[in-house]
């Protein structure tokens, strides 16, 4: 059943002349950490340099040149020039080193930023998200540990450690892996995880709750439209004449004939808001749209021949396996679950399965000595559970209940739940290439964890035209959205922005850079327009 907006709920934004159309300056699609951080900045919270000297003398000198000005008002390209780190984006590196100086050296130095609230600088905006603030963090296994350190997950002006100390006080949780209830302060080694007494890393459920609490604590709730699904983003069909002062040619302006929307650039965002059992359509018009949707929506799939096999054996979500374990469809007497992939998600699945004594067959295409394997970059002191998986992957003899097949791929699923594996070719004694014989492995399930890509269906063609290579699907690692590295505005569409994984930053530690770049661009543009108006 559908109702009109006026009958169900008042949405953020000013009402336009067209029925049901709302106006705002910025529409943010996605309410994960990127969207939350951008909302905080657009709400008039500006970063300034404090009195703590930065350990980088060159950056320290630059910061003191305009100390009275907010970082948002300064030249981000100049400030970030020469910075190096684990992100490819210069503004992300700048924001990271200002918030956590010398973090890559293992130091815990105070932030070089202070935050001042300027209510008059608020830029009207709305943040759209299907679930509660925090985005995909609420859909993950809450009993798992984050890859990044806990304090790297925090957003401006709300210390994660202090929040966690209050939040964790003797709180009990149910482990999704084993079904047991235990205190967060207990070691997890009995459940296949790690002894986490130091709490250097955070539980996923804590991070999700932190982001929800952040929105409430910072007074941002009025900007968030929870339960909203975006179905269409497009430029407005316009019919107002506008004469370009430089070229003298007629250009499109806006069909609504309103001062606030008769601008050179305008976007329309349509979607549906779920309110209980009702669906409420909405429509926003805004000159700026920010895509902050993350990367986990559409799992990558195997190019696999299923023949007469049962293709329902193949799943792409660990929660499906956890459900089967809870329903006792899988146990230590089952045929093995085949885990396909060599990333951390696959490692989490293996830990989960082995903690429940379910046998595992692990298939991955890379060599165990491949330098690009994520396990080789993680310190074993902080990530012992992942190094245990890596040790298992390298073992030629295998472990009880675990067998790895490096440099193999799944080529067929036959009837009777039998998977056919193809191994690497090898060179014989006389130089002849010899194919590795097929291996047929009985399985109960095939869990494919080989990455995912974002769902940008609201753009049409899943947003391919906005990617770096417009002939290929958007991929956060290999083919992100093509954006300006300092403003995060699309190189192919004015007023469209992308942040977080869509722009190539996959760690929460670095997602604050995108919001900084966008907010800086909007602040400078607004100030320039105001000056032109005064003239």
């Amino acid at each position: 059943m559908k109702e009109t907006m006026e009958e169900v709920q008042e949405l953020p934004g000013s009402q336009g002349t067209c029925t049901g159309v709302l106006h705002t300056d910025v529409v943010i699609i996605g309410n994960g950490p990127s969207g939350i951080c951008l909302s905080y900045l657009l709400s008039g919270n500006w970063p300034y340099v404090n009195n703590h000297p930065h350990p980088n003398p060159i950056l320290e000198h630059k910061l003191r040149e305009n100390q009275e000005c907010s970082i948002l008002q300064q030249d981000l390209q100049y400030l970030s020039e020469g910075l190096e780190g684990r992100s490819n984006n210069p503004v992300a590196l700048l924001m990271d080193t200002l918030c956590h100086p010398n973090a890559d050296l293992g130091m815990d130095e105070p932030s070089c930023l202070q935050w001042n609230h300027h209510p008059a600088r608020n830029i009207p905006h709305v943040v759209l998200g299907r679930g509660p603030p925090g985005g995909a963090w609420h859909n993950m296994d809450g009993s798992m540990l984050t890859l990044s350190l806990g304090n790297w997950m925090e957003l401006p002006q709300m210390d994660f450690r202090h929040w966690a100390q209050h939040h964790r006080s003797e709180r009990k949780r149910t482990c999704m892996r084993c079904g047991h209830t235990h205190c967060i302060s207990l070691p997890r080694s009995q459940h296949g995880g790690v002894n986490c007494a130091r709490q250097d890393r955070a539980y996923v459920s804590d991070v999700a709750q932190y982001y929800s609490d952040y929105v409430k604590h910072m007074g941002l709730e009025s900007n968030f439209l929870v339960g909203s699904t975006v179905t269409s983003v497009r430029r407005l069909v316009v019919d107002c004449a506008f004469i370009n002062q430089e070229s003298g040619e007629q250009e499109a302006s806006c069909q609504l004939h309103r001062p606030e929307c008769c601008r050179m650039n305008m976007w329309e965002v349509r979607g549906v808001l779920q309110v209980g059992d009702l669906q409420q359509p909405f429509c926003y018009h805004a000159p700026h749209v920010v895509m902050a949707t993350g990367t986990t929506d559409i799992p990558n799939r195997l190019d696999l021949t299923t023949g007469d096999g049962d293709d329902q054996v193949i799943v792409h979500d660990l929660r499906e396996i956890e459900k089967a374990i809870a329903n006792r469809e899988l146990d230590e007497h089952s045929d093995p679950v085949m885990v396909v992939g060599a990333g951390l998600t696959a490692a989490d699945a293996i830990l989960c399965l082995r903690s429940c004594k379910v046998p595992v067959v692990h298939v991955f295409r890379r060599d165990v000595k491949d330098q690009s394997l994520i396990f080789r970059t993680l310190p074993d002191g902080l990530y012992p559970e992942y190094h245990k998986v890596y040790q298992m992957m390298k073992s030629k003899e295998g472990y009880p209940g675990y067998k790895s097949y490096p440099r193999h791929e799944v080529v067929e699923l036959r009837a009777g739940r039998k998977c056919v594996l193809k191994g690497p070719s090898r060179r014989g004694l006389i130089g002849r290439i010899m194919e590795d014989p097929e291996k047929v492995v009985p399985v109960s399930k095939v869990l494919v964890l080989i990455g995912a890509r974002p769902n940008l269906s609201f753009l049409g063609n899943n947003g391919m035209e906005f990617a770096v290579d417009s002939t290929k699907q958007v991929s956060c690692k290999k083919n992100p959205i093509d954006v300006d590295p300092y403003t995060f505005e699309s190189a192919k569409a004015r007023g469209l922005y992308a942040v977080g994984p869509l722009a190539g930053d996959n760690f929460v530690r670095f997602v604050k850079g995108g919001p900084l770049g966008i907010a800086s661009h909007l602040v400078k543009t607004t100030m320039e327009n105001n000056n032109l108006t005064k003239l």
Side-chain angles (χ1 to χ4, degrees), residues 286-311:
H288 309 286
V289 174
V290 180
M291 298 183 293
T293 56
T295 179
T296 60
D297 293 311
I298 305 174
N300 294 331
R301 299 179 180 274
L302 290 175
D303 183 11
L304 181 64
T305 302
T306 57
D308 296 327
D310 183 2
D311 55 6

Side-chain angles (χ1 to χ4, degrees), residues 467-479:
V468 172
D469 184 345
S470 59
T471 65
K472 298 178 180 178
Q473 290 285 347
V474 175
S475 167
C476 297
K477 291 184 178 180
K478 298 180 180 179
N479 193 33

